[in-house]
Amino acid sequence: MPVRFDAEWRDAAAQYTIAKRAHDEAKKHLDVAKDRILSLTDEDAHGFGVEVKFTERRGTIDYGKVINTHLPDVDLEPFRKESSSVANIKVAKEEV
């Protein structure tokens, strides 16, 4: 993997790092606020522009277990969809 030292990469990396840190900090605050709101009710409620609505969600079907139990000898590879490429961006713990 090449190491980039150009100004455009530096600026984009700085922008991403600042935004990522702000996002992570905001998420922490949001999680605390969410926990606080949820601690105040165990039923549907609303007020001051915030609404809490509890809904029941059916459990998912464990298709792996179904296949292993009922179709253990079936080759699943012919049913695999096309591969895809995914980009992951990480902020280094230490600056290089």
Side-chain angles (χ1 to χ4, degrees):
M1 176 183 324
V3 178
R4 301 273 306 258
F5 291 106
D6 55 281
E8 189 171 9
W9 186 271
R10 180 198 62 222
D11 294 346
Q15 180 184 12
Y16 182 84
T17 300
I18 291 166
K20 175 78 169 106
R21 288 182 181 148
H23 172 270
D24 293 349
E25 190 64 25
K27 179 155 182 0
K28 287 178 192 174
H29 289 291
L30 182 61
D31 289 345
V32 168
K34 179 181 176 181
D35 290 346
R36 184 174 178 198
I37 288 280
L38 292 176
S39 75
L40 298 174
T41 186
D42 58 358
E43 61 184 7
D44 295 354
H46 65 93
F48 298 99
V50 175
E51 177 181 304
V52 174
K53 184 161 180 69
F54 291 91
T55 56
E56 189 71 25
R57 195 180 288 177
R58 290 179 68 186
T60 59
I61 295 173
D62 185 344
Y63 286 101
K65 195 172 197 177
V66 171
I67 290 168
N68 289 337
T69 302
H70 298 287
L71 304 166
D73 299 324
V74 173
D75 178 13
L76 299 177
E77 283 304 313
F79 302 98
R80 186 178 298 279
K81 295 180 181 179
E82 285 187 37
S83 296
S84 61
S85 179
V86 178
N88 294 302
I89 301 174
K90 297 179 185 176
V91 176
K93 292 182 181 176
E94 288 185 23
E95 295 295 321
V96 176

